[in-house]
Amino acid sequence: MMETNINPLSALSLFLVEDDDGDAKAVVRAFTRAKIANPIIRAIDGVEALEILRGQNGRDKPSKPHLLLIDINMPRMNGIELIKNIRQDPNLKRLVVFVLTTSKRDEDRVAAYDLNVAGYILKQRAGEDFVQLVQMMDYYWRIVEMP
């Protein structure tokens, strides 16, 4: 029997909700460097993210499962409001969400964990090129079962 090495992230759609182009490019570069070739879908704010996730306003609904990386400080609908909407939607509520933000505010961290995020990651701690974030996510998916 031939043994294959399957990347646990291989069946996932990665969904990045980030309004800053530089930060978004850094995340994509980190996944590329880690040789994780999953498609990365990007929305620039919570309104656009919900439209994509729900397949509304002419948007193509991505296939599941999803792993979401959500910034908090965004225009129109911030990350906390987005996560609230996701948790209230019966079709989206089980999505795995990581917050990736510059916000060090205790109120934001508590609000995020109250909404059952898988992790709250400060961009400054994730490293300039986000490689540590990608490695952490890779390790996470090696041991966690999806709903």
Side-chain angles (χ1 to χ4, degrees), residues 7 9-10 14 28 30-40 134-135 137-138:
N7 183 342
L9 287 172
S10 64
L14 302 170
V28 171
F31 277 93
T32 301
R33 283 186 193 149
K35 297 185 173 133
I36 296 173
N38 301 61
I40 299 176
V134 173
Q135 290 172 340
M137 290 174 61
D138 187 40

Side-chain angles (χ1 to χ4, degrees), residues 15-19 41-46 48-50 52 74:
F15 196 99
L16 176 63
V17 186
E18 172 63 67
D19 63 319
I41 302 162
R42 179 182 174 207
I44 59 169
D45 62 31
E48 184 180 32
L50 286 175
I52 294 169
M74 297 181 292

Side-chain angles (χ1 to χ4, degrees), residues 6-128:
I6 299 173
N7 183 342
L9 287 172
S10 64
L12 294 174
S13 295
L14 302 170
F15 196 99
L16 176 63
V17 186
E18 172 63 67
D19 63 319
D20 184 274
D21 289 337
D23 287 347
K25 287 176 184 175
V27 170
V28 171
R29 274 193 310 271
F31 277 93
T32 301
R33 283 186 193 149
K35 297 185 173 133
I36 296 173
N38 301 61
I40 299 176
I41 302 162
R42 179 182 174 207
I44 59 169
D45 62 31
V47 172
E48 184 180 32
L50 286 175
E51 288 176 355
I52 294 169
L53 288 169
R54 293 175 175 158
Q56 298 173 331
N57 293 329
R59 305 282 187 163
D60 291 329
K61 186 177 179 180
S63 62
K64 289 185 182 177
H66 306 293
L67 180 136
L68 281 71
L69 294 170
I70 299 177
D71 187 17
I72 288 183
N73 300 314
M74 297 181 292
R76 295 198 300 170
M77 178 187 293
N78 71 35
I80 297 298
E81 293 167 328
L82 171 59
I83 299 166
K84 284 179 186 175
N85 277 276
I86 288 169
R87 295 301 182 227
Q88 292 170 355
D89 186 317
N91 296 315
L92 303 175
K93 67 182 182 182
R94 289 189 182 97
L95 295 177
V96 176
V97 175
F98 285 89
V99 171
L100 180 60
T101 186
T102 58
S103 175
K104 295 180 182 180
R105 292 174 19 124
D106 289 337
E107 298 86 5
D108 288 339
R109 189 172 47 252
V110 169
Y113 279 112
D114 282 348
L115 293 167
N116 299 314
V117 298
Y120 190 96
I121 303 159
L122 291 174
K123 290 178 183 177
Q124 301 91 319
R125 289 193 184 157
E128 275 187 32

